[in-house]
Amino acid sequence: YAAKAKRNTAVIFDEASFAQRLEQNRLAAALAFAADRDEFVVYYQQKVDLLTSRHLGFEALVRWRHPQLGILPPGRFLPLMEGHLIQAMTRCIVNTVGRDLKAWKAAGLRAGSVAINLPEALLVSQDGYDLIAAAVKANGLDWRDFAIEVTEDVFLNRGAEQIAETISRFRKHGVSVSLDDFGTGFASLVHLRDFPFDELKIDRSFVAEIGKDIRSEQIIRAIIDLARNLGKRCVAEGIEEEAQRGFLMTAGCDIGQGYLFAKPEPASAAVERLAQNPLAVRGKSGRITQGP
Ligand code: C2E
Ligand code: MG
Ligand code: MG
Ligand code: MG
């Protein structure tokens, strides 16, 4: 009895975290059905030319339309997901993006490429590659209609070599590969030297410090120079203020993403935005010119 009482006391004492854990368990249980019930939604956020704000492409960002709680951001549910669920979710996203791209093309819209955030589990195996290959085929798309984003954590994986191989296969088809959240993870300079990629994305935690923390500003400058010297594109994420845009442009970054330009939004809103701000065209010189 004493032991039981003790346990009860512990539970009562820790009521808040207990309730939280219960909530997490409920979410995790519901997540198991989310893919089958078609509850994953794709939001699109523009990538733009910093100088002109012209459209360059989209990033696909998942949301979960929970039957009771409404639209949930990935921070609420990605940490609760494991192997096969992540795979099922990614399949939903890639399929949705494929269908949207097809519809946009049919409507005469050019969206540029849509970047998929591919988790490492789908890069160690061929699954991520196969998913995108299937979407390209099923919807009559070009490989280049897709781009992929991977985080630095892939370098921690024991299958890092396998991942690099998968990524090389993508790149052979002209699919652009971004190293996401750069500067916050585990990429070393050796990785930057050996890893096949096209674009560095400066993490938004650095961008948020522009005008506030001189060291963050210096790091951003160094990342931009590093990208440029390696012959890679540089993209800044999380741009919310005009002053941040100005700093980044002066430092030599020419592509950006952030609330200043567009929030992630459902396909219908993204399409409207695209119609009003058509794709910018990169000339042979690499300079961005006015789209049609
Ligand atoms: P990420 O790939 O680095 O995506 C950028 C995040 O920054 C997005 O958060 C986006 O909504 C947010 N963001 C963009 N501009 C601004 C801004 O100006 N201000 C602020 N405060 N935030 C901005 P989101 O959509 O919540 O996604 C968070 C992370 O979840 C993503 O980071 C990515 O790592 C992961 N994620 C999102 N969608 C997917 C997906 O489809 N598959 C996988 N595997 N991961 C995903
Ligand atoms: Mg990303
Ligand atoms: Mg990012
Ligand atoms: Mg990020």
Side-chain angles (χ1 to χ4, degrees), residues 180-182 184 202-205 237:
D180 205 356
D181 301 338
F182 186 73
T184 60
I202 304 173
D203 191 65
R204 115 178 119 80
S205 59
E237 64 178 27

Side-chain angles (χ1 to χ4, degrees), residues 38 46 56 69 104 117 124 145 153 167 196 208 226 258 268 279 288:
D38 220 6
Q46 257 187 332
L56 292 176
L69 303 173
W104 296 343
N117 289 283
V124 182
D145 292 329
D153 299 352
I167 282 175
L226 185 62
S268 55
L279 183 69
I288 292 161

Side-chain angles (χ1 to χ4, degrees), residues 55-103:
H55 177 93
L56 292 176
F58 284 119
E59 176 176 4
L61 294 158
V62 66
R63 301 289 182 264
W64 177 20
R65 189 186 289 124
H66 186 284
Q68 279 86 44
L69 303 173
I71 298 281
L72 300 181
R76 284 284 296 279
F77 59 89
L78 282 185
L80 304 174
M81 295 176 86
E82 286 172 32
H84 71 284
L85 283 186
I86 292 185
Q87 163 131 15
M89 177 192 79
T90 310
R91 174 176 297 122
C92 292
I93 291 158
V94 171
N95 287 346
T96 302
V97 170
R99 281 196 304 268
D100 285 346
L101 276 164
K102 182 182 180 182

Side-chain angles (χ1 to χ4, degrees), residues 8-267:
N8 286 344
T9 317
V11 166
I12 291 162
F13 184 72
D14 213 6
E15 202 168 346
S17 90
F18 179 76
Q20 209 172 28
R21 205 143 6 113
L22 199 67
E23 167 73 9
Q24 298 288 304
N25 288 345
R26 276 210 193 107
L27 277 184
L31 259 179
F33 302 100
D36 286 342
R37 293 179 181 160
D38 220 6
E39 289 169 356
F40 290 117
V41 183
V42 177
Y43 274 35
Y44 293 92
Q45 187 181 31
Q46 257 187 332
K47 289 186 184 181
V48 302
D49 170 36
L50 281 183
L51 181 63
T52 61
S53 303
R54 295 294 296 265
H55 177 93
L56 292 176
F58 284 119
E59 176 176 4
L61 294 158
V62 66
R63 301 289 182 264
W64 177 20
R65 189 186 289 124
H66 186 284
Q68 279 86 44
L69 303 173
I71 298 281
L72 300 181
R76 284 284 296 279
F77 59 89
L78 282 185
L80 304 174
M81 295 176 86
E82 286 172 32
H84 71 284
L85 283 186
I86 292 185
Q87 163 131 15
M89 177 192 79
T90 310
R91 174 176 297 122
C92 292
I93 291 158
V94 171
N95 287 346
T96 302
V97 170
R99 281 196 304 268
D100 285 346
L101 276 164
K102 182 182 180 182
W104 296 343
K105 283 194 172 184
L109 290 161
R110 295 197 302 153
S113 58
V114 176
I116 307 285
N117 289 283
L118 270 191
E120 57 176 277
L122 279 89
L123 290 165
V124 182
S125 66
Q126 290 299 303
D127 295 345
Y129 181 88
D130 293 344
L131 279 181
I132 291 183
V136 167
K137 197 160 172 220
N139 298 289
L141 304 172
D142 286 335
W143 278 93
R144 284 160 195 270
D145 292 329
F146 284 96
I148 61 174
E149 298 194 3
V150 302
T151 62
E152 292 173 292
D153 299 352
V154 296
F155 299 122
L156 282 179
N157 193 295
R158 278 202 225 107
E161 265 175 44
Q162 189 56 49
I163 291 174
E165 213 174 293
T166 309
I167 282 175
S168 295
R169 287 183 73 193
F170 274 118
R171 291 180 83 227
K172 279 196 194 111
H173 292 292
V175 175
S176 163
V177 176
S178 303
L179 209 44
D180 205 356
D181 301 338
F182 186 73
T184 60
F186 296 90
S188 73
L189 297 175
V190 175
H191 294 128
L192 283 192
R193 189 189 64 195
D194 298 339
F195 197 71
F197 69 101
D198 303 278
E199 184 178 280
L200 271 188
K201 291 188 86 173
I202 304 173
D203 191 65
R204 115 178 119 80
S205 59
F206 294 113
V207 174
E209 293 297 316
I210 292 173
K212 297 178 192 146
D213 175 31
I214 190 102
R215 283 170 308 176
S216 295
E217 293 182 352
Q218 301 288 23
I219 289 170
I220 291 173
R221 284 203 191 90
I223 294 175
I224 294 169
D225 288 347
L226 185 62
R228 175 162 283 185
N229 290 330
L230 290 170
K232 315 293 186 191
R233 292 192 305 272
C234 192
V235 179
E237 64 178 27
I239 304 171
E240 295 184 352
E241 294 160 14
E242 202 53 64
Q244 294 167 339
R245 182 225 293 252
F247 174 92
L248 288 159
M249 274 176 46
T250 307
C253 178
D254 46 25
I255 306 174
Q257 230 181 337
Y259 296 173
L260 177 64
F261 310 103
K263 289 192 170 178
E265 54 199 357

